[in-house]
Amino acid sequence: DTGYAVGPGALAPAFASFAAGRWGWTVEPSRIRTTSDVSVAIVETLRAAITPGDAVIVTPPVYPPFYGIVAEAGGVVERVPLVQRAGAEVTGEAGSAAGSAAGFAAGGTAGSAAGDWALDLAEIERAFAAGARALLLCNPHNPLGLVHSASELAALAELAARYGALVISDEVHAPLIHPDASFTPFLSVSDAARSHGVCVTSASKGWNLAGLKCAMIIAGDDASAVILDRMPPAVTWRTSIMGLLGNTAAFSLGEPWLDGAIDAIVENRRLLSTLLAEHLPAARLADPTAGYLAWIDLRALGWGDDPAARILADARVALNPGPEFGAEGIGHVRLNFACSPDMLTDAVRRIAALS
């Protein structure tokens, strides 16, 4: 059957079972819709929830397409950058890759760590009070590999409820949580989150199925389900039946493979910390606890606002340019370490040879 996909079918109970077993999150299958990918899911949720011209909060440095997604939905980007927690060392001035490697090897993180960062709840409240109608939450946060705490998410939900705003939680990296972190789905934290939140997710990152084109839009309760009901039927018709079957297989049968992939990713996380400490000690790694993306501060090397350009030209290593993630990414790069250890080692050594 390679015809149209009509509704989520077996994917809804498969994901509900996965979420319950993996995160203790009870999902009502009837509140799940599908579409082609997570970006489309966000656009269509925003279109159903905001009025053109409304402000939508993003929290840079963040996944670059978020900026265009807001514009496509008719919104206006309101930037509320992440902040460092009190007492955390300042990335780029303190906290080294060596410290990060040593801390992770000992069972924790030290120096610069993704967990040093947090949502700026005070500024988010200010933006909501000024009229922002929605917030795009990256949970876990790309590019830092930051896993937001349950208490932080609950506080965000209370703010959304207080100001009548919507939180769209992009949880596509959630299956890739590392053993030293604990993931909390946004819709699981409180009644406020369920009534003022929508989750968008997919098996696309955890199982590398992005090209098959299927994602889910999940409402937390009847109030947020109204937003999903406003979407035109074409939103769900865009789902690829191949993607629907692939996602169903991943969530129902793919946990053993996923666990093996996470083991390999975590080993490469350790290797990256060690390689940076040995070959590029001036680099500052925000040690991730989710996903396979590393956020690296190279400002101390003096390679300009976009060091990825020089690294590509002179070392022949392709990294994501930091400035694409927002002004906070100047002097930074994002590195994908979901590769072979030999490739990762070669990449870091080539970059180090430029210093």
Side-chain angles (χ1 to χ4, degrees):
D1 180 1
T2 56
Y4 292 108
V6 182
L11 174 56
F15 178 76
S17 177
F18 177 89
R22 203 81 175 184
W23 308 310
W25 176 26
T26 300
V27 177
E28 172 51 56
S30 66
R31 296 197 182 110
I32 296 177
R33 309 285 191 275
T34 63
T35 190
S36 56
D37 57 47
V38 166
S39 292
V40 169
I42 297 172
V43 168
E44 296 299 341
T45 302
L46 282 174
R47 282 178 173 157
I50 69 171
T51 299
D54 283 345
V56 177
I57 300 168
V58 299
T59 56
V62 74
Y63 180 57
F66 271 15
Y67 302 100
I69 285 170
V70 171
E72 184 178 349
V76 177
V77 171
E78 176 80 10
R79 299 173 68 263
V80 180
L82 297 177
V83 293
Q84 288 195 296
R85 301 178 191 275
E89 297 179 8
V90 178
T91 302
E93 296 177 2
S96 66
S100 180
F104 184 40
T109 56
S112 178
D116 291 345
W117 295 87
L119 298 169
D120 190 339
L121 293 171
E123 283 299 302
I124 287 171
E125 179 170 17
R126 181 203 61 74
F128 280 153
R133 305 304 304 144
L135 179 145
L136 297 190
L137 176 68
C138 215
N139 181 37
H141 192 94
N142 173 4
L144 290 167
L146 165 65
V147 181
H148 298 293
S149 70
S151 60
E152 192 175 14
L153 295 176
L156 175 62
E158 288 301 318
L159 290 177
R162 184 181 309 164
Y163 294 98
L166 178 71
V167 175
I168 302 173
S169 187
D170 176 352
E171 301 183 358
V172 72
H173 288 271
L176 293 167
I177 299 297
H178 300 184
D180 55 336
S182 178
F183 175 71
T184 302
F186 179 73
L187 298 184
S188 74
V189 297
S190 66
D191 288 341
R194 285 181 280 278
S195 61
H196 290 82
V198 169
C199 170
V200 295
T201 192
S202 173
S204 58
K205 298 300 181 187
W207 288 267
N208 198 25
L209 304 179
L212 294 187
K213 291 298 179 184
C214 176
M216 290 171 283
I217 313 170
I218 305 169
D221 66 7
D222 291 341
S224 55
V226 170
I227 296 171
L228 276 56
D229 292 338
R230 293 186 194 130
M231 296 178 185
V235 172
T236 59
W237 296 344
R238 294 173 187 149
T239 307
S240 161
I241 196 166
M242 297 298 187
L244 188 68
L245 293 170
N247 271 250
T248 302
F251 286 118
S252 59
L253 303 172
E255 284 196 75
W257 185 92
L258 177 66
D259 290 338
I262 291 170
D263 287 344
I265 288 166
V266 169
E267 283 304 308
N268 272 7
R269 171 185 160 193
R270 296 178 189 270
L271 176 61
L272 177 61
S273 291
T274 300
L275 288 168
L276 290 176
E278 180 180 353
H279 299 288
L280 206 62
R284 302 291 180 256
L285 170 68
D287 193 31
T289 54
Y292 46 79
L293 302 169
W295 187 240
I296 306 173
D297 183 350
L298 299 178
R299 287 175 292 177
L301 293 169
W303 290 353
D305 289 352
D306 182 13
R310 181 186 176 191
I311 290 169
L312 178 60
D314 297 340
R316 306 305 297 158
V317 176
L319 307 176
N320 293 106
E324 293 183 357
F325 296 80
E328 296 74 16
I330 287 173
H332 293 67
V333 296
R334 191 187 73 174
L335 181 151
N336 183 331
F337 57 91
C339 58
S340 71
D342 287 346
M343 180 179 289
L344 182 60
T345 300
D346 185 38
V348 174
R349 286 176 174 168
R350 288 193 195 190
I351 295 168
L354 301 179
S355 62

